[in-house]
Amino acid sequence: MLGHASKILVRSRFAIAFTGAGISAESGVPTFRGSDGLWKRYRPEELATPEAFKRNPNLVWEFYKWRMRKILEARPNPAHYALAELERLGILKAVITQNVDDLHREAGSKNIVELHGNIFRVKCTSCNYKENLKESGRVKGFVESRDLPKCPKCGSLLRPDVVWFGEPLPREALDKAFRLAEKADVVIVVGTSGLVYPAAYIPYIVKEHGGKVIEVNVERSGITPIADVFLRGKAGEILPELTELVRGLR
Ligand code: OAD
Ligand code: ZN
């Protein structure tokens, strides 16, 4: 199976990756829907909707600051590094991710499309102010503060620059992702349940345009029915092996 997948990749002309929370699981970042997933312990409608934020911004910010702290402790794992290596080898042209954790960037991937935002970015609820807390060097003080964060431009409440349930995806990112999917002849789908739309359309678009779907997951997902190759196992083990095989074939 791995051998077959590596041949598909080496022969490809425009391969992309589509990733979800499972690729960061081995970095210690909790997934959403697994047995110990976040949405098993918390109710998304109380923490990840615009209504929840209006009702109780303190609770929502507490949840996001907790996740920021957890993600700050996390390092990319061999799966993130393998995708960055496939890009350096010229095989992978882009990584489309549903993750907000920034670990693809930390691992060295360059062409990244973030469909659900980035947990280290904040935006104003009134004006157009946006800030990347990692880039401004404010992230440490920010996660430790118990105060509600306010906009330095207009004084309104800041919110995480992530997509909540019921909100549209960032237009530019979604357009770019769909264009990449239409062009791709292979997509490597890693660690996603494939249940959240419109993101989950990505592999279907590749397939409809005649491309191949290689899936890496510890269990079957919403994408598995259209997978040409299903590689069952941990992303942090399978992707480095796959990359090694690809390197050998080139
Ligand atoms: P999920 O939590 O729904 O799914 C995680 C997937 O990763 C599951 O299919 C697991 O089987 C798989 N998995 C777990 N550990 C793995 C490992 N070590 N190697 C490979 N696979 C592994 O996460 P997503 O599909 O990313 O949306 O969820 C999609 C969206 O739902 C998220 O972006 C988030 C959430 O609500 C927003 O916040 C808008
Ligand atoms: Zn503002």
Side-chain angles (χ1 to χ4, degrees):
M1 286 300 247
L2 263 175
H4 184 42
S6 65
K7 276 183 205 134
I8 292 176
L9 279 169
V10 172
R11 287 187 203 128
S12 73
R13 147 191 74 69
F14 198 92
I16 62 173
F18 175 60
T19 68
I23 196 170
S24 298
E26 290 158 80
S27 295
V29 181
T31 62
F32 296 96
R33 291 176 186 77
S35 48
D36 49 2
L38 286 175
W39 300 151
K40 285 273 149 64
R41 280 184 285 159
Y42 306 102
R43 286 151 57 87
E45 60 273 26
E46 283 170 13
L47 294 169
T49 64
E51 293 75 27
F53 189 66
K54 271 202 199 97
R55 226 170 19 236
N56 196 343
N58 275 301
L59 179 73
V60 173
W61 261 121
E62 209 180 292
F63 174 66
Y64 276 91
K65 283 182 181 176
W66 170 76
R67 281 185 64 200
M68 282 164 107
R69 283 195 295 272
K70 266 204 111 61
I71 290 170
L72 277 173
E73 289 165 13
R75 290 287 151 263
N77 70 59
H80 297 102
Y81 288 116
L83 292 187
E85 173 69 6
L86 284 176
E87 188 178 353
R88 268 193 300 275
L89 291 171
I91 303 260
L92 205 61
K93 303 298 193 280
V95 177
I96 302 168
T97 189
Q98 299 164 89
N99 300 344
V100 297
D101 58 27
D102 229 14
L103 292 177
H104 285 300
R105 191 168 289 110
E106 276 192 34
S109 285
K110 296 285 182 249
N111 195 11
I112 304 165
V113 182
E114 291 174 329
L115 286 179
H116 292 161
N118 186 301
I119 200 161
F120 296 110
R121 276 198 321 258
V122 292
K123 64 180 182 187
C124 181
T125 50
S126 301
C127 74
N128 60 3
Y129 183 78
K130 272 197 190 205
E131 179 180 345
N132 183 316
L133 297 165
K134 266 191 186 168
E135 283 167 15
S136 64
R138 285 213 309 140
V139 70
K140 259 199 112 104
F142 189 94
V143 294
E144 277 155 20
S145 164
R146 303 191 126 260
D147 303 329
L148 278 175
K150 297 284 164 60
C151 173
K153 245 173 93 180
C154 77
S156 302
L157 197 55
L158 291 175
R159 59 162 281 180
D161 192 5
V162 299
V163 175
W164 283 330
F165 288 98
E167 290 187 315
L169 272 57
R171 182 63 195 269
E172 230 177 276
L174 190 62
D175 283 353
K176 186 171 178 196
F178 281 175
R179 277 200 308 273
L180 287 165
E182 284 164 13
K183 197 169 163 191
D185 55 356
V186 181
V187 60
I188 315 174
V189 180
V190 189
T192 179
S193 54
L195 298 174
V196 175
Y197 287 87
Y201 284 127
I202 302 294
Y204 285 86
I205 296 173
V206 176
K207 186 84 178 181
E208 269 167 24
H209 286 74
K212 292 232 173 350
V213 178
I214 299 171
E215 183 180 29
V216 181
N217 201 309
V218 290
E219 52 190 57
R220 292 178 64 86
S221 77
I223 311 296
T224 317
I226 61 158
D228 295 279
V229 186
F230 179 57
L231 304 169
R232 186 190 285 261
K234 290 186 172 179
E237 292 167 10
I238 295 202
L239 284 178
E241 285 177 42
L242 183 62
T243 305
E244 206 44 52
L245 287 175
V246 166
R247 225 197 322 253
L249 283 174
R250 285 172 82 246

